[in-house]
Amino acid sequence: MTPEQFLEFARVLPEPLLLVSGEGQLLATNQPVADILALRRQELRGRMLFELVTESTNDVVKYLQACSSSRAMVIGSLTLRKNDGQTLICRSQGAVIQPWSPESSALILLRLENRTLASSNFVLLNQKIDELAKEVQRRKEAEEALKKANQELEIRVEERTTALQETLKELQLTQIQLIQAEKMSSLGEMIAGIAHEINNPVSFIYGNLHHAYQYTQDLLKLVHIYQQLCPITPPEIQDEIEEIDLDFLIQDITQLFQSMKVGTERIKEIVKCLRSFSRLDEAELKQVNVHEGIDNTLMILEHRLQARHDNYPEIKVIKKYAQLPNVTCYAGQLNQVFMNIIVNAIDALEASANNSQWSAVNPQIQIKTELIDEQWLAVSIADNGLGINEQVHSKLFDPFFTTKAVGKGTGLGLSISYQIIVEKHKGELRCFSTPGKGAEFVMKIPVSLI
């Protein structure tokens, strides 16, 4: 990508964007960057990034090197030094759009975001991705037309096409990560908020049940003493005793309090699972119990496992848990992987029901954990649904690929799960399936990322 192409790409976007070389030289910026620094764009071109930020040269070089060597977006922080002497702390997102080669330096796209202003424009990003895809197609057609004319030109066009394809993939991954970050942040806040609002009144009820039970027992004891001391009761009182069926009331009220206690304990358990699943109050990388994450996910999805009518019998969950140590991982993201895969298994079993194939098998999901060695463990989630054919299997982890009906699936669940397991946790995620015999997803993750 040349500076001119970058400007054409960036001029319509409201967020500040910079195109820098691997050495930190500013090759091009859009107008929002110049507005932030109170400078003209012509004054910025050719300057070094170190001159515009308060961070040390060494820190900036390390950040640019991280951007150059990573296939994913690298998050950082830069403090801009404005023309009027003031500073502005920005969240930076860097992605390499042209890797380093002996002939040319690496090109890095930096997106700046004021920490006090959280804004994004996914619609424009999608438009640009579509434009890049069309550009890739046009380059391919040009390659075929020029192939016969000049072999050297053909090689150059092929290299350019490859670079554009890599850029397109990087932008797609960037888009997925942006969508995922925003989605999980909103979902986590909502779950934690709901859990908090439920927890307060339930805790109040649960805390007062014991006192209410004790007070009731005291009143019943008083009635019992009264009956002993005054065996002959007035007709009005006797009529009321028969009307309310006092003997049944005394017998049933204890069971009533026990039922209320069990109900409130169940609600508190669900709230605890919701808070654990969202994990907003915990550090991102920490030691967790994998089985607890799976069980919390199953509890949240319990309504989808229950029988609804004759065509949708109960989905049986078979757990085969091994003895596992606590795992140092990104707990919230790992829970999302469990959620995505288990939901897909439930969808597959429901699809079997729609095809009237549940009469032949018992719908079930089997979850198995295994400690491979001191450094690795495996989690397997299998269903006995319709299975996956070879054509779908080859595209299973591609972004935006889905076989579900419009409005039911986005095609991001397994793609995001693959990134979380493979890229974030340095593990493996594989799928084994035979059409008509179900599917099994096996994830292998390290015991510790530290």
Side-chain angles (χ1 to χ4, degrees):
M1 177 181 288
T2 65
E4 291 74 18
Q5 290 174 322
F6 168 80
L7 290 174
E8 179 65 22
F9 166 77
R11 66 184 181 86
V12 296
L13 297 179
E15 55 268 279
L17 297 174
L18 304 90
L19 183 66
V20 301
S21 67
E23 294 76 24
Q25 184 180 14
L26 270 66
L27 303 178
T29 63
N30 64 354
Q31 189 58 41
V33 176
D35 293 341
I36 288 177
L37 297 172
L39 294 170
R40 292 182 302 171
R41 281 191 294 142
Q42 292 80 357
E43 295 175 315
L44 292 174
R45 186 162 186 175
R47 294 182 67 176
M48 301 301 289
L49 184 59
F50 324 119
E51 304 172 11
L52 304 176
V53 298
T54 61
E55 283 78 11
S56 65
T57 301
N58 187 43
D59 289 343
V60 176
V61 169
K62 286 182 179 179
Y63 178 61
L64 293 178
Q65 288 175 347
C67 294
S68 300
S69 58
S70 174
R71 293 180 59 83
M73 177 170 284
V74 180
I75 307 300
S77 179
L78 294 174
T79 304
L80 299 182
R81 187 183 294 112
K82 301 170 68 174
N83 196 32
D84 58 5
Q86 296 182 358
T87 58
L88 179 65
I89 301 176
C90 292
R91 179 174 181 263
S92 64
Q93 299 171 315
V96 61
I97 59 176
Q98 177 178 298
W100 178 89
S101 68
E103 292 79 16
S104 62
S105 174
L107 294 184
I108 300 169
L109 176 64
L110 292 181
R111 176 181 178 268
L112 302 181
E113 182 179 24
N114 189 336
R115 285 183 182 268
T116 61
L117 299 174
S119 63
S120 60
N121 196 327
F122 292 117
V123 174
L124 289 175
L125 185 57
N126 279 329
Q127 291 176 350
K128 289 304 170 183
I129 289 176
D130 290 340
E131 291 176 9
L132 280 174
K134 293 177 182 178
E135 176 69 4
V136 170
Q137 183 62 33
R138 189 181 68 82
R139 294 288 181 178
K140 286 183 177 180
E141 293 173 356
E143 175 190 352
E144 293 298 326
L146 295 173
K147 186 175 182 180
K148 297 179 182 180
N150 192 310
Q151 184 66 26
E152 183 180 353
L153 185 59
E154 175 191 357
I155 296 174
R156 292 180 181 178
V157 171
E158 184 178 355
E159 292 174 350
R160 190 65 174 275
T161 302
T162 302
L164 285 171
Q165 288 175 332
E166 290 298 323
T167 302
L168 177 59
K169 290 179 181 179
E170 292 296 332
L171 287 174
Q172 286 179 327
L173 290 176
T174 299
Q175 182 197 35
I176 292 174
Q177 290 170 347
L178 289 173
I179 295 173
Q180 166 69 2
E182 186 68 25
K183 176 182 175 183
M184 291 308 296
S185 175
S186 301
L187 179 62
E189 290 178 3
M190 182 184 70
I191 290 176
I194 292 173
H196 176 74
E197 292 300 325
I198 295 175
N199 188 58
N200 284 341
V202 169
S203 297
F204 175 79
I205 295 171
Y206 184 78
N208 286 286
L209 271 179
H210 173 74
H211 301 295
Y213 175 76
Q214 192 62 48
Y215 298 158
T216 304
Q217 293 301 311
D218 291 341
L219 292 173
L220 293 177
K221 182 179 179 181
L222 180 61
V223 171
H224 181 68
I225 294 173
Y226 174 79
Q227 288 176 329
Q228 288 182 330
L229 296 178
C230 303
I232 301 175
T233 56
E236 294 83 356
I237 296 178
Q238 186 63 37
D239 291 342
E240 185 65 23
I241 289 174
E242 293 176 358
E243 176 70 23
I244 66 175
D245 195 354
L246 181 61
D247 292 336
F248 172 78
L249 188 150
I250 293 173
Q251 179 182 3
D252 188 58
I253 196 165
T254 300
Q255 297 178 356
L256 180 65
F257 273 103
Q258 183 63 28
S259 298
M260 288 191 291
K261 181 180 178 182
V262 171
T264 53
E265 287 176 348
R266 172 64 174 169
I267 295 174
K268 287 173 69 68
E269 183 181 355
I270 293 173
V271 168
K272 180 182 176 182
C273 288
L274 288 173
R275 291 173 61 86
S276 177
F277 183 82
S278 65
R279 294 191 181 272
L280 288 181
D281 56 342
E282 300 178 356
E284 190 176 19
L285 187 64
K286 68 167 295 175
Q287 284 193 339
V288 296
N289 186 325
V290 171
H291 294 156
E292 180 183 330
I294 296 173
D295 292 340
N296 290 339
T297 304
L298 289 172
M299 176 169 289
I300 293 171
L301 294 173
E302 185 174 351
H303 67 285
R304 294 199 60 189
L305 299 172
Q306 297 172 349
R308 279 168 274 177
H309 45 74
D310 292 340
N311 292 333
Y312 286 90
E314 178 185 3
I315 299 175
K316 185 178 181 181
V317 177
I318 302 173
K319 302 177 187 177
K320 295 183 179 180
Y321 289 168
Q323 190 71 27
L324 298 181
N326 285 344
V327 178
T328 303
C329 64
Y330 298 95
Q333 296 185 19
L334 199 60
N335 285 342
Q336 187 193 359
V337 174
F338 296 149
M339 176 71 74
N340 289 340
I341 295 178
I342 293 174
V343 165
N344 280 352
I346 295 173
D347 289 342
L349 292 173
E350 290 181 349
S352 298
N354 292 331
N355 284 274
S356 303
Q357 294 190 16
W358 276 19
S359 58
V361 294
N362 256 337
Q364 66 180 33
I365 297 173
Q366 179 173 287
I367 304 175
K368 178 182 177 183
T369 62
E370 176 188 4
L371 184 63
I372 300 174
D373 53 38
E374 294 182 356
Q375 297 181 347
W376 293 91
L377 62 87
V379 179
S380 165
I381 301 175
D383 65 77
N384 59 346
L386 294 174
I388 303 170
N389 61 47
E390 186 61 32
Q391 183 179 2
V392 173
H393 191 280
S394 62
K395 302 178 181 178
L396 209 53
F397 300 112
D398 289 354
F400 308 107
F401 175 77
T402 180
T403 59
K404 298 178 183 178
V406 176
K408 189 173 182 180
T410 62
L412 291 176
L414 289 180
S415 175
I416 291 172
S417 299
Y418 187 85
Q419 289 185 38
I420 291 173
I421 296 298
V422 176
E423 298 182 12
K424 197 77 172 179
H425 289 83
K426 313 301 180 186
E428 296 179 6
L429 178 59
R430 303 176 66 186
C431 175
F432 304 92
S433 178
T434 301
K437 295 185 178 180
E440 178 184 16
F441 286 86
V442 179
M443 61 194 81
K444 177 182 175 184
I445 59 174
V447 174
S448 176
L449 282 176
I450 302 177

